[in-house]
């Protein structure tokens, strides 16, 4: 099956900034968490393409950011999200939910 014959999935995970990260007195090393997140995105880059990252602070609700991921297997999104949750990133951002869609080739 060629790449064009496989379904393409899009995932929009949302995140909520941990309130203690907003002040300089938080004691969290936010820069290290960001660097670890960048390493994880690089590790998964052959399976999950990050198309964008957006602030959602002006929208209703507690969500502060959203990302746009593209891939060919839902399991890859789950794996990347699991790695993020087990990393230092989870001390800075909590998962806020997400939306999954699929584009299938015409029949």
């Amino acid at each position: 099956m060629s790449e064009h014959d496989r379904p393409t999935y899009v995932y929009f995970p949302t995140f909520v900034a941990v309130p203690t990260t907003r002040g300089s007195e938080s004691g969290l090393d936010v820069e290290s968490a960001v660097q670890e997140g960048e390493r994880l995105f690089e590790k998964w880059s052959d399976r999950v393409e990050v198309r964008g990252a957006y602030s959602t602070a002006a929208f209703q609700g507690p969500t502060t950011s959203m990302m746009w991921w593209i891939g060919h297997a839902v399991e890859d999104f789950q794996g990347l999200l699991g790695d993020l949750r087990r990393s230092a990133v989870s001390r800075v951002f909590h998962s806020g939910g997400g939306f999954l869609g699929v584009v299938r080739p015409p029949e």
Side-chain angles (χ1 to χ4, degrees):
M1 182 181 310
S2 78
E3 185 171 315
H4 299 291
D5 294 332
R6 297 186 301 169
T8 298
Y9 296 94
V10 60
Y11 185 54
F12 296 96
T14 61
F15 301 93
V16 179
V18 175
T20 58
T21 62
R22 296 186 181 150
S24 59
E25 67 282 349
S26 69
L28 292 174
D29 188 353
V30 176
E31 188 171 324
S32 291
V34 169
Q35 289 173 352
E36 185 173 355
E38 288 174 346
R39 285 190 297 272
L40 286 173
F41 289 124
E42 181 62 33
K43 170 187 166 186
W44 284 90
S45 67
D46 62 330
R47 292 161 282 176
V48 176
E49 178 184 349
V50 177
R51 286 278 181 97
Y54 309 94
S55 170
T56 59
F59 295 102
Q60 182 180 3
T63 301
T64 55
S65 61
M66 178 183 77
M67 298 187 87
W68 175 12
W69 297 352
I70 303 286
H72 292 289
V74 173
E75 295 81 8
D76 292 334
F77 298 148
Q78 292 173 324
L80 173 54
L81 197 54
D83 279 359
L84 288 169
R85 286 180 177 161
R86 290 185 293 273
S87 74
V89 174
S90 68
R91 292 191 294 273
V92 179
F93 286 102
H94 291 166
S95 179
F99 175 81
L100 177 69
V102 62
V103 177
R104 293 178 28 166
E107 297 178 0

